Amino acid sequence: MTEPTPRAPLAERALAQRVLAVPPSGIRRFFDIAATMQNVISLGVGEPDFDTPREIIEAGVESLREGRTHYTSNYGTIELRRALSDHLFRLYGVRYNPANEILITVGASEAVDLALRATCDPGDEVILHEPSYVAYVPAVVFAGGTVVHVPTRFEDDFALDPAVVEAAITPKTKGLFLGYPANPTGAVLTDAQQDALADIARRHDLIVYSDEIYDRLVYGDYRHRAFSSLPGMFERTILMGGFSKAYAMTGWRVGWLCAPAHLLEGIVKIHQYGIMSAPSVAQDAALVAITGGEAAVETMRAEYDRRRRLLVDGLNRLGLATFEPLGAFYAFPNITSTGLTSDEFVERLIQEEAVACVPGTAFGPSGEGHVRMCYATSYEKLEEALGRIERFLGRLKAERAS
Ligand SMILES: Cc1ncc(COP(=O)(O)O)c(C=O)c1O
């Protein structure tokens, strides 16, 4: 028997460096505080307050009753892939082959993870705008890649400047990650910005990872375009989306990833070995969502729009300058006038007025001075929240004056 090599105790080296490098989600911390309090109005979690529309639930129930309780194809059911192919073609004019260019995933979350794990080698750089959704940085790091942040700022309406993106490119850049409409800012990409980014991707031969989960939740005159529908982008774009937000299906855990066949072939391997297939019941429900859910999507979108106007106008009226979000369901007020940091603001607002929101820093360094408030909660609760925020701001003002 050979003597074991002396090394540090297992507890000190069990977790991989890339896992240790990622902090826990900055969103969850405040949920734990909220969970211990009564009468909390939560503007924290990014999920619809609506239940899944009835006909979609019925489709799920029916699926189970019919005994459709087995694994599906690794790619997802062919019915859902066909319907999704038609859906994306109808909305955006981009056609994916249901046989080998569409993968049904466990939410857009899995799609993001797969896209990066399938394409990043150690040392590869991925350019990412920030502030942006909390899962993007960990997904790159877990994949062994390196994030290169490109800031967006309140002063520029959180617009992503293509020139700044281009300046961040190095010989190690593998791709550009875009999450638009954006969580947490609600910013969207204009056609001109998209065209310029597409031009950069073409010239520098980059992959474009495009998380478009909020594609259906846009407001005013804004019209979403799928990034892969732009000239020359199909071949290099990994398009990701899902049912959670537009169809109020967060708990069903179903989403999608579309990519040209040569990329999808590799991506499917990770899904195949790690997941097998998305839940069969959720896929059957999603089929009804995509084929018959349009009216429900529009009803919910119109209601989010009403709430968006209430919250954004209300925050601006209270002196918290808030950029007008054109997509998703978040407001991202600037709270610097209070003299508090994002963390302090969130901590005090929940302790003193039982309103939960998320510090902007959870989404990247440029989020300092902001907090994220989700308006996928009832109009009445938003009115009440605004009243509480007004009282809170009044108290802060009085404190500063004394
Ligand atoms: C931008 C963005 N992408 C992906 C997700 C994850 O969505 P899913 O429920 O489809 O995994 C979220 C959820 O908040 C999100 O905001």
Side-chain angles (χ1 to χ4, degrees):
M1 255 191 349
T2 52
E3 277 302 306
T5 325
R7 24 186 200 171
L10 186 60
E12 286 172 25
R13 59 190 162 78
L15 288 172
Q17 289 305 318
R18 61 180 187 286
V19 172
L20 294 172
V22 169
S25 167
I27 299 189
R28 287 283 147 189
R29 187 157 76 87
F30 294 96
F31 293 166
D32 298 340
I33 302 179
T36 64
M37 298 177 71
Q38 298 217 315
N39 199 19
V40 175
I41 299 180
S42 178
L43 310 180
V45 202
E47 81 166 326
D49 61 325
F50 296 108
D51 291 335
T52 305
R54 205 70 233 165
E55 60 280 12
I56 301 175
I57 294 180
E58 292 304 333
V61 171
E62 193 56 26
S63 166
L64 294 174
R65 284 226 177 83
E66 284 176 5
R68 291 169 59 86
T69 55
H70 304 269
Y71 295 131
T72 70
S73 151
N74 292 142
Y75 289 85
T77 68
I78 188 64
E79 294 84 1
L80 181 55
R81 283 182 279 142
R82 282 197 189 116
L84 187 58
S85 175
D86 291 345
H87 173 85
L88 293 172
F89 182 69
R90 186 171 54 77
L91 288 176
Y92 306 121
V94 60
R95 176 61 87 181
Y96 286 96
N97 183 343
N100 57 2
E101 293 180 331
I102 297 182
L103 174 67
I104 305 301
T105 57
V106 180
S109 301
E110 193 212 347
V112 169
D113 182 48
L114 291 178
L116 290 155
R117 279 205 284 153
T119 56
C120 279
D121 280 316
D124 282 348
E125 292 177 355
V126 175
I127 296 177
L128 172 66
H129 53 94
E130 59 91 19
S132 56
Y133 179 48
V134 291
Y136 298 153
V137 171
V140 175
V141 174
F142 293 155
T146 304
V147 173
V148 175
H149 269 150
V150 170
T152 61
R153 303 184 197 292
F154 174 73
E155 296 74 31
D156 312 321
D157 288 350
F158 296 105
L160 180 58
D161 183 348
V164 179
V165 170
E166 188 155 22
I169 294 174
T170 75
K172 292 184 183 162
T173 307
K174 185 75 172 260
L176 166 63
F177 199 109
L178 298 172
Y180 286 94
N183 172 5
T185 62
V188 293
L189 289 175
T190 63
D191 286 0
Q193 286 160 352
Q194 272 194 331
D195 292 343
L197 292 167
D199 184 51
I200 291 168
R202 202 178 307 111
R203 283 190 287 109
H204 294 271
D205 206 12
L206 305 179
I207 297 177
V208 178
Y209 308 91
S210 193
D211 175 5
E212 303 184 14
I213 193 164
Y214 294 104
D215 65 335
R216 309 305 308 284
L217 301 180
V218 295
Y219 311 104
D221 294 335
Y222 186 74
R223 294 288 164 267
H224 182 82
R225 297 192 300 177
F227 205 85
S228 54
S229 69
L230 306 189
M233 288 303 104
F234 185 90
E235 282 310 297
R236 60 180 68 254
T237 301
I238 302 178
L239 177 70
M240 296 162 275
F243 295 86
S244 288
K245 314 292 176 172
Y247 300 95
M249 291 180 71
T250 46
W252 297 79
R253 309 310 303 129
V254 60
W256 65 78
L257 182 152
C258 301
H262 69 276
L263 281 179
L264 200 77
E265 194 185 343
I267 291 168
V268 164
K269 281 194 214 165
I270 304 180
H271 173 82
Q272 192 167 62
Y273 290 119
I275 299 288
M276 307 268 271
S277 61
S280 52
V281 58
Q283 294 189 59
D284 283 349
L287 177 61
V288 167
I290 213 156
T291 50
E294 278 310 296
V297 168
E298 181 46 30
T299 305
M300 291 189 274
R301 194 203 63 85
E303 179 56 19
Y304 293 140
D305 193 14
R306 201 167 77 94
R307 299 169 183 182
R308 175 183 77 108
R309 281 179 271 125
L310 170 73
L311 186 61
V312 172
D313 292 351
L315 290 168
N316 277 312
R317 192 170 31 78
L318 296 181
L320 298 181
T322 305
F323 152 79
E324 188 191 345
L326 288 183
F329 40 44
Y330 309 101
F332 202 55
N334 185 319
I335 52 95
T336 48
S337 59
T338 62
L340 301 179
T341 65
S342 301
D343 259 44
E344 288 164 349
F345 185 97
V346 170
E347 186 115 30
R348 285 196 56 179
L349 184 61
I350 187 148
Q351 300 285 8
E352 296 176 26
E353 292 293 343
V355 174
C357 51
V358 183
T361 42
F363 307 94
S366 307
E368 183 52 83
H370 294 265
V371 299
R372 188 191 77 173
M373 297 180 177
C374 174
Y375 54 82
T377 195
S378 76
Y379 199 87
E380 294 67 34
K381 280 194 185 153
L382 288 172
E383 284 180 317
E384 168 68 22
L386 282 167
R388 294 186 191 186
I389 293 167
E390 181 166 20
R391 202 161 54 200
F392 175 62
L393 294 176
R395 193 172 322 117
L396 289 179
K397 206 168 168 188
E399 267 174 28
R400 281 205 307 276
S402 66

